[in-house]
Structure formats: C-alpha cells, structure tokens
Amino acid sequence: MEKICVAVRVRPAVSQDTPNGTYWKVEDNRISLHKSLGTPISGVSYTFDHVFDQDCSNGRVYELLTKDIIRAAVEGFNGTAFAYGQTSSGKTFTMNGSENDPGIIHRAVKDIFCEIQMTTDREFLIRVSYMEIYNEEINDLFSVENQKLQIHESLERGVFVAGLREEIVSSAEQVLKLIQLGEVNRHFGETNMNVRSSRSHTIFRMVIESKGKDTSPSDCSSLDDVIRVSVLNLVDLAGSERIAKTGAGGVRLKEGKHINKSLMVLGNVINKLSDCAKQRGHIPYRDSKLTRILQPALGGNAKTSIICTVAPEEVHVEESKGTLQFASRAKRITNCVQVNEIITDAALLKRQKLEIEELRMKLQGSHAEVLEQEIFKLRNDMLKYELEREKLAMELEEERKSHKEREQCIREQQLRIENLSSHAPFLDCDGNSNQGQEFLNQGLKEECNDSHSRKTEYSPLPDTICNVADEDTWLRMNKGYIADLDSLHITPARKVESFPSSEGTPGWSIENYRQEVQSLQKQLEHTIEERDELEKEFPAQFLFWKLPLGIVVDAFE
Ligand SMILES: Nc1ncnc2c1ncn2[C@@H]1O[C@H](COP(=O)(O)OP(=O)(O)OP(=O)(O)O)[C@@H](O)[C@H]1O
C-alpha cells in the first residue's frame, strides 16, 4: 500500500491585493492563511508532502514530485501525475511549462528515454496517445476524426478508450513533436480569468512495454517470457470556475458546467476514498469519464502524485481553501501498487517479437539503420492493424446490439398485433362478424353495469397497449432516436371513448381496431425494411451475426 503524493504550488500573483487583505504564507511543507499583520488565521493551515511557493521552478516541482513515478513507470509500475486547481491557478503552466522552464510532461518524456537507454538489460516498446475530455466526450488529440470515443473494460486491458490512436515512438523528440501537433487540437478559450483557459481535461498517456533481453538465440522463439506493461498518465485538468467570475456565457458557460460537474465527481471519488475502508461503500468512478479513466490512479494499482495549484490573490481565497481541502483529502488515499507483469500474449511486444525476429533474419547483412527503420515501420503497421481490429470489433458489437433491439422491436409489435387480434377476433376484411357483435354487446353490458366508475376514461384496449406505447418510447430512446432526455414525454394513457353508449357519440369502433392493426402492421413492415436495408449496407456484420459466436471470435483472432 502506498499513499498518494500530494503537493501544493502557489503561482506568482498577477495583481496587487489591498494592503489590509489576507495572504498565504509558505513555510517548508506547510501553507497557512495569515492576516496582513502576520497573525495566522486559526484553522486555515495545511501540511502536504511538498509546498512550492511562487519562486519555485517547474524543474524543482518535477524533481520532487514526479521523477520517481517516471522511473517506476520504466520499471513496470503504473503512474499518474495530475494538476488540480481553480481556473488560472497554473495547472497548464505546471504540466506544459514555458520555453525557458519546460513542464512535467516535457521533462517526463525526456527522462523516460534517458532511463530506457540506461536500462541495457531490457528492450522496450513505447506507445503514446493523447486525448481530451471535452463536454464529457472523449476526443483524440492525435487524430481529429476520432471523436466521441467510448470507454471499455476488458480483463486483459483493464479500462481503455476504444479507437484511440496510439503511436509507437522511439525518441523523446518524436514524442514532443506529436504532443505539439496534439496541442493544436485541444480546446482552449478566453474567459475573464484566463486568456487561454483549458476547456477540457487532457490526458497524455505513455504505455511502456519491456522484456528482458534474450541471452541465447534459442530463447527468441519462446512465448513464455514475462512482459512488463505500465501505463503513465500525465493529466492537465480543466479548472473549476465560478461563473460569476469567469463571466462565462453561451459555449463557455456550457463548458464550465461540464468542467465543474466532472470535477465534482472527482471530488466525490476522492472523498469516498479518503474515508476509512469500512465506511467507504460504493466509489462513484462511473459517474464521469474522467474518474473512469483515472480509476487505476485513484485507489488502484498506480503510483500517483497530485499537484494542487493555488492562486494567491485575496479574491480567490475561498477557491484556494476548497483546493487545499481537496488536497488534504487526497493525501489520505492509499493505492495498491505492483509491477504489471503479464505472461499472456496480450502484450504487443510479445506478439511482434516473432515477426521482428523473422525480419531481422531476412535483413541480416544489411545496414543496421535500414534494419531498425524496417522494424519500426513494421511495429507501427502492426499497431495500426491492432487498432483497426479493435475498432471493427466495437462496430460489430454495436451492430449486434442494435440488431438485437430491432428483433426485440419486431417481437413487440407482433405481440401487439396478436394482443389486438385476440381482443378483437371478429375483425375480417369488412370489419364485422357475429363474434364481434357479441364482444360489442358484452362491452355495452359492462359499460352499463359500471357506468359510474368508468365513464369516458375507459379504454377498450388492454392495459398492456398503453404500456407498450411507453415501451416504444423507451426502446427508441435506447436506440439513440431521442438524444435529449428533456424532449422525452411519457406517452399519456390513451383516452379513448368507451363503446358507443348512445347513437351519434364518437367511440372506439371496429374501424378503430382495424386502423390500429393496419398501423401496427405498417410499423412492423417498416422495421423489417429497415433491417433489410441495414443488412444490405453491412452484409459482413449480418453474416457475423448469423454465425455462431465462436466463429466470429475466431475471425477476429
Ligand atoms: N508558477 C508560475 N510562474 C509563472 N507564471 C505562471 C505560473 N503559474 C501560472 N502562471 C501564469 O498564469 C497564467 C494562468 O496559468 P495557467 O493557464 O497555467 O492556469 P490554469 O490553471 O491551467 O487555468 P485553466 O484552468 O483556466 O486552464 C498563465 O499566463 C501562466 O503563464
């Protein structure tokens, strides 16, 4: 068990406060609020693993807070470092830095490649990805066309974002170039508090696979080698904001609401985790995409450090207190950290090993550089193939789901028709028969016997019909036809007149039944047509759907 490492960083002040105001005092690893004359304000003093004042550089923050996590990631431990704090308090400055003082991400990337170079007894494979959570949707910063990506979970991969582009990389320079490209796609916006405010949470991720170098040529073909796979997340959160202060409206307001909501969920998760294990109960990781992705970093298998940034101005004192309380709770969280070693062939490195060896043999005698380039290209091609396969599998899964729903819909409608037919067995193409007359007579009798309790509200349709109507709405909603819950109106109970109790009163007649049946049949035909069209459009998926599951799985292996 290992505690999360928590630090606080106070950024330089941007405005002069009133001389009578309060101020934050930093001494060693303590931060406390003082009156202007120097008297400490009781109850507003906090201690953390580190507290950095406004003169502290990104270099020092990195050395004290993150370097160990980076080293451990190369050794096979998961790691996460994230910056938390109100808007304009210095999170992006800490993670990205400036030209003169590079931030944590830049330094981490450089260090990882240094560490790898020094670890001469292992070979490594590094993949990187960069995503943002904007308005509760996951977008790929390396590939703009990959939007609204979904989170999935599997035994082998844990929680992962399906379809996210990963690049295999071989140098720090290559990674930093990729990050630069990703930054262009990131959502920034101007608010009253920050001219360049992050409007999304960003997660830069490095997956580090490594294995011991083979000692004898015969080992090359062994598939039993242990592979270490670790995931390093470097996270720049969007800042919490008071709408009154940021002056947000329109798009900015919508973004602000999403930001605050997901940070609130993060706060809830941290709160729960900071309770002692017995009182903890359910941890609401699933309440936001951010907490779902950060789940291993919060109470899971990862070395985690949090840097909480604070704006020193007196006008932000309440927000700063909130940040420090968040930091205090985070300090109580313990993670269960262990090296991730796997012996299945899930590791990309392992699967690629044989192919690379083959290539090496073929290219023996050629120039080493050419060889390396070929290997690199092969690795990237294989990764793309992996991602494509994963995407196809997801699409297949989606198609399966919607196929199931369509089948269900057809069954429902058939049931409704049967239901109607059984209540109106007299329907022929002319709409009359003796049986129907008996049914009508009985309806009339019942209406007379019970005229007080069932006046015009009485519906001759079975109760289930109304339920089915609501079921329909539900089904449509679940199929994505209704995206906005506010637009959803529950189908009101059908208010139909009773059987005609006197001549001239409009009522539910045989004609009504016939129309209902015809309309249902039309709906059914329409659904079947829709399905046929889809089958034409995606013949492969339908072919897979018709195959037994085992064959489908094999096809993707
Ligand atoms: N430690 C620091 N030293 C010098 N300048 C800083 C420091 N921290 C922040 N700044 C400056 O303060 C401003 C706001 O910082 P930054 O954009 O990093 O805030 P943020 O917390 O990421 O805000 P948001 O949540 O709105 O994105 C920037 O101009 C940044 O350069």
Side-chain angles (χ1 to χ4, degrees):
M1 296 299 262
E2 188 175 300
K3 283 224 183 284
I4 286 185
C5 183
V6 182
V8 166
R9 182 183 200 182
V10 185
R11 73 148 160 72
V14 285
S15 65
Q16 283 297 313
D17 273 325
T18 49
N20 292 331
T22 53
Y23 68 95
W24 291 102
K25 186 172 178 184
V26 173
E27 275 172 314
D28 302 325
N29 56 351
R30 172 181 295 274
I31 178 167
S32 47
L33 192 62
H34 286 244
K35 288 183 186 157
S36 59
L37 293 173
T39 336
I41 298 174
S42 89
V44 198
S45 174
Y46 305 84
T47 310
F48 297 101
D49 297 303
H50 308 280
V51 179
F52 305 111
D53 66 15
Q54 56 268 34
D55 299 324
C56 185
S57 67
N58 281 330
R60 187 164 164 73
V61 173
Y62 175 77
E63 286 292 323
L64 291 176
L65 192 68
T66 331
K67 199 174 171 83
D68 285 349
I69 291 182
I70 304 306
R71 279 207 189 119
V74 176
E75 283 166 17
F77 293 94
N78 292 336
T80 297
F82 67 87
Y84 175 97
Q86 77 159 127
T87 179
S88 107
S89 56
K91 297 177 295 297
T92 306
F93 184 86
T94 303
M95 297 309 292
N96 288 8
S98 61
E99 220 167 291
N100 299 332
D101 188 12
I104 283 178
I105 296 181
H106 184 106
R107 289 168 193 274
V109 169
K110 289 234 156 180
D111 255 11
I112 280 183
F113 284 94
C114 276
E115 288 288 325
I116 284 174
Q117 244 178 1
M118 288 191 303
T119 316
T120 47
D121 56 341
R122 298 186 74 78
E123 58 178 281
F124 288 86
L125 178 80
I126 317 282
R127 320 175 237 154
V128 295
S129 60
Y130 200 12
M131 67 185 118
E132 70 167 2
I133 305 175
Y134 177 67
N135 288 349
E136 207 47 20
E137 272 162 6
I138 303 173
N139 300 331
D140 192 339
L141 290 176
F142 282 165
S143 187
V144 271
E145 62 274 14
N146 290 349
Q147 304 258 318
K148 300 185 184 176
L149 302 175
Q150 300 297 316
I151 298 175
H152 290 268
E153 196 165 359
S154 76
L155 264 183
E156 277 184 343
R157 296 186 59 185
V159 177
F160 66 97
V161 177
L164 185 69
R165 182 166 147 199
E166 285 185 325
E167 285 285 334
I168 295 183
V169 285
S170 57
S171 72
E173 289 65 38
Q174 190 191 358
V175 180
L176 295 175
K177 246 188 218 156
L178 280 168
I179 292 177
Q180 241 177 16
L181 294 177
E183 285 292 307
V184 177
N185 301 325
R186 194 172 155 176
H187 280 89
F188 284 103
E190 186 175 344
T191 69
N192 287 350
M193 300 256 311
N194 191 352
V195 281
R196 198 171 146 77
S197 175
S198 312
R199 312 311 290 161
S200 60
H201 310 300
T202 58
I203 301 166
F204 172 69
R205 176 171 283 187
M206 294 181 91
V207 181
I208 305 167
E209 291 188 14
S210 75
K211 64 177 272 299
K213 277 191 179 151
D214 299 318
T215 45
S216 70
S218 58
D219 285 349
C220 289
S221 57
S222 160
L223 278 174
D224 301 326
D225 301 357
V226 174
I227 304 270
R228 290 183 190 162
V229 184
S230 54
V231 179
L232 176 71
N233 292 311
L234 301 173
V235 186
D236 182 9
L237 295 179
S240 56
E241 54 191 52
R242 285 208 170 152
I243 305 302
K245 277 189 185 176
T246 51
V251 178
R252 292 286 99 83
L253 178 66
K254 186 178 171 202
E255 292 165 348
K257 283 180 180 172
H258 278 288
I259 293 170
N260 287 348
K261 192 178 160 207
S262 60
L263 290 175
M264 195 188 77
V265 176
L266 176 65
N268 288 345
V269 167
I270 298 270
N271 272 354
K272 286 267 180 184
L273 287 169
S274 63
D275 287 343
C276 77
K278 270 187 194 159
Q279 293 167 357
R280 239 177 234 179
H282 166 72
I283 315 281
Y285 291 113
R286 283 174 178 268
D287 285 1
S288 80
K289 297 211 161 100
L290 177 69
T291 45
R292 190 111 163 76
I293 292 175
L294 291 185
Q295 186 169 343
L298 303 167
N301 173 19
K303 286 174 176 281
T304 300
S305 72
I306 305 179
I307 179 135
C308 292
T309 51
V310 164
E313 294 83 11
E314 198 188 5
V315 318
H316 301 313
V317 79
E318 287 311 314
E319 287 90 337
S320 300
K321 278 188 201 168
T323 301
L324 294 172
Q325 274 153 15
F326 172 93
S328 300
R329 284 192 293 266
K331 218 173 59 168
R332 295 207 290 268
I333 299 175
T334 45
N335 283 355
C336 187
V337 189
Q338 61 189 46
V339 173
N340 299 302
E341 292 192 321
I342 52 173
I343 48 169
T344 68
D345 65 351
L348 191 58
L349 193 62
K350 188 167 245 177
R351 282 201 299 277
Q352 293 185 350
K353 187 179 150 193
L354 283 178
E355 307 235 5
I356 288 165
E357 283 311 321
E358 245 172 54
L359 193 77
R360 215 170 239 152
M361 301 285 275
K362 272 189 210 159
L363 287 174
Q364 235 166 20
S366 350
H367 196 271
E369 224 172 75
V370 179
L371 179 78
E372 285 308 320
Q373 268 177 14
E374 276 302 323
I375 290 173
F376 189 72
K377 190 173 161 292
L378 178 76
R379 282 182 162 167
N380 251 322
D381 287 350
M382 284 195 68
L383 182 67
K384 274 182 198 130
Y385 160 74
E386 289 282 317
L387 293 174
E388 192 55 33
R389 196 180 76 130
E390 189 179 84
K391 207 170 142 206
L392 272 173
M394 294 301 157
E395 276 173 18
L396 175 66
E397 191 53 41
E398 290 297 314
E399 195 45 52
R400 258 191 205 149
K401 255 193 232 156
S402 64
H403 182 89
K404 241 188 193 166
E405 280 169 8
R406 275 193 298 277
E407 291 289 331
Q408 173 71 11
C409 186
I410 290 171
R411 271 198 299 277
E412 299 266 354
Q413 289 183 354
Q414 273 166 344
L415 245 174
R416 288 166 69 185
I417 290 171
E418 275 165 28
N419 235 335
L420 268 174
S421 309
S422 67
H423 280 79
F426 48 87
L427 282 183
D428 59 17
C429 50
D430 299 324
N432 51 28
S433 85
N434 285 343
Q435 265 178 310
Q437 200 51 51
E438 274 167 31
F439 189 67
L440 278 178
N441 289 344
Q442 195 182 334
L444 276 171
K445 252 189 259 162
E446 278 177 14
E447 177 66 11
C448 291
N449 292 345
D450 195 13
S451 58
H452 295 296
S453 57
R454 292 184 285 130
K455 283 251 164 165
T456 51
E457 288 285 312
Y458 173 72
S459 163
L461 294 178
D463 286 348
T464 48
I465 294 288
C466 287
N467 294 343
V468 168
D470 280 341
E471 191 85 359
D472 258 339
T473 315
W474 183 89
L475 262 175
R476 260 181 258 134
M477 190 173 83
N478 280 278
K479 280 203 252 170
Y481 294 138
I482 299 176
D484 178 8
L485 279 181
D486 292 339
S487 71
L488 176 68
H489 300 288
I490 299 300
T491 314
R494 190 194 294 274
K495 287 199 180 175
V496 201
E497 292 276 308
S498 62
F499 290 109
S501 52
S502 63
E503 248 186 64
T505 311
W508 185 262
S509 65
I510 291 167
E511 193 50 36
N512 290 112
Y513 274 116
R514 196 165 49 186
Q515 278 169 7
E516 181 74 16
V517 171
Q518 277 172 354
S519 121
L520 283 170
Q521 262 165 348
K522 264 193 202 135
Q523 279 180 46
L524 179 63
E525 279 160 19
H526 182 67
T527 314
I528 291 171
E529 267 169 30
E530 252 182 25
R531 189 194 57 184
D532 291 347
E533 268 169 33
L534 271 166
E535 185 163 2
K536 262 186 231 153
E537 210 174 319
F538 302 105
Q541 276 87 342
F542 275 79
L543 181 68
F544 278 130
W545 171 248
K546 285 169 188 166
L547 293 171
L549 188 64
I551 300 177
V552 176
V553 172
D554 286 349
F556 275 91
E557 289 304 327

